[in-house]
Amino acid sequence: MADLSTTGAFPTDWRTKAYNGGVKFVNGDTILARITPCLENGKAGYINFLEQDEVAFGSTEYIVLTSKGELPSEFFYFLARNEDFISYATAHMNGSSGRQRVSGADVGNYEVRMPSEKQVSEFKEIAGKAMRVISASSIESRKLAQSRDALLPKLMSGEIDVSEVDLTQPTNNHLSGCGSFCSVCCPSGLASEFHEWFREHFFFGDGHLCKADLG
């Protein structure tokens, strides 16, 4: 659970180990925290960094949102980030104080207005590109952080000498993506405009149920 961000699409970390229980997910899935206070805090992530046909697993306190084809997979990540959806999920929590959680069935009953084919096409083009940029920059940032952690002890001990390195050269600030859909990670400046477009075209209330697209 600690590896899910409250603001960004990309998990902060992951590990490779043998399956020992938990929910399974693949590329294109959105994972959403179901337990308090993680749900209210916005713990969610979009999975698009696995190898082809690779299956990952995580906490039993995740709900996995899976597209069944009618709506793009990216849609469910932005749904999980929507305040109206979070308010709905929070209102449907059950359990003792401090251990309340929402069920997958209740999440699956959330109503959305089904968009037109044109709106779906527009959304898929914009969101798909954004998610690929976020994934690429986040993976690069993770690799750089690993290199830093490996090199720092050697720098501190003097094993590596950087006294003659030219520090006036520009840094790779373009690689420091935050993992969210913002103007830093998406330099086109479409971030706020996209969120408004998403709300205008997809939200939410009267309309058809989208349960067929909720795994």
Side-chain angles (χ1 to χ4, degrees):
M1 191 67 72
D3 296 331
L4 286 187
S5 171
T6 58
T7 57
F10 204 79
T12 58
D13 196 14
W14 62 87
R15 290 156 292 282
T16 300
K17 63 180 182 179
Y19 178 70
N20 60 357
V23 299
K24 296 180 180 181
F25 44 88
V26 297
N27 281 337
D29 287 343
T30 292
I31 52 178
L32 171 72
R34 65 191 299 171
I35 192 169
T36 189
C38 299
L39 173 61
E40 301 96 310
N41 292 340
K43 288 267 188 179
Y46 183 72
I47 307 303
N48 64 346
F49 58 89
L50 302 175
E51 300 294 334
Q52 185 175 359
D53 299 324
E54 185 177 11
V55 178
F57 67 96
S59 171
T60 56
E61 300 295 355
Y62 292 158
I63 290 176
V64 180
L65 307 181
T66 301
S67 173
K68 300 297 178 62
E70 191 172 358
L71 290 171
S73 61
E74 296 88 356
F75 172 90
F76 297 96
Y77 170 72
F78 288 96
L79 175 65
R81 283 274 173 249
N82 179 262
E83 292 180 1
D84 296 336
F85 173 77
I86 294 299
S87 295
Y88 166 89
T90 301
H92 285 78
M93 280 182 159
N94 293 295
S96 60
S97 178
R99 299 296 295 175
Q100 292 187 321
R101 52 179 58 82
V102 65
S103 70
D106 281 331
V107 167
N109 284 327
Y110 186 68
E111 293 185 349
V112 301
R113 184 176 66 239
M114 296 302 293
S116 67
E117 290 185 8
K118 181 176 182 295
Q119 290 168 344
V120 169
S121 178
E122 291 176 351
F123 172 85
K124 186 174 183 179
E125 180 179 1
I126 298 172
K129 289 180 180 178
M131 289 305 191
R132 288 191 292 272
V133 169
I134 290 170
S135 178
S137 63
S138 298
I139 289 174
E140 185 66 24
S141 293
R142 188 172 188 265
K143 291 178 179 178
L144 290 172
Q146 292 172 338
S147 297
R148 175 203 61 204
D149 294 342
L151 290 173
L152 188 57
K154 296 182 179 181
L155 289 169
M156 297 295 290
S157 66
E159 182 179 346
I160 297 178
D161 182 11
V162 295
S163 60
E164 297 183 5
V165 174
D166 184 0
L167 298 179
T168 63
Q169 297 299 314
T171 59
N172 290 326
N173 289 329
H174 67 287
L175 297 177
S176 58
C178 66
S180 64
F181 192 62
C182 68
S183 57
V184 174
C185 296
C186 301
S188 59
L190 290 174
S192 60
E193 291 87 348
F194 178 76
H195 280 292
E196 289 302 318
W197 181 92
F198 183 70
R199 174 177 289 275
E200 177 184 351
H201 288 85
F202 288 92
F203 280 93
F204 278 111
D206 295 337
H208 298 78
L209 285 177
C210 177
K211 287 198 290 185
D213 278 296
L214 287 172

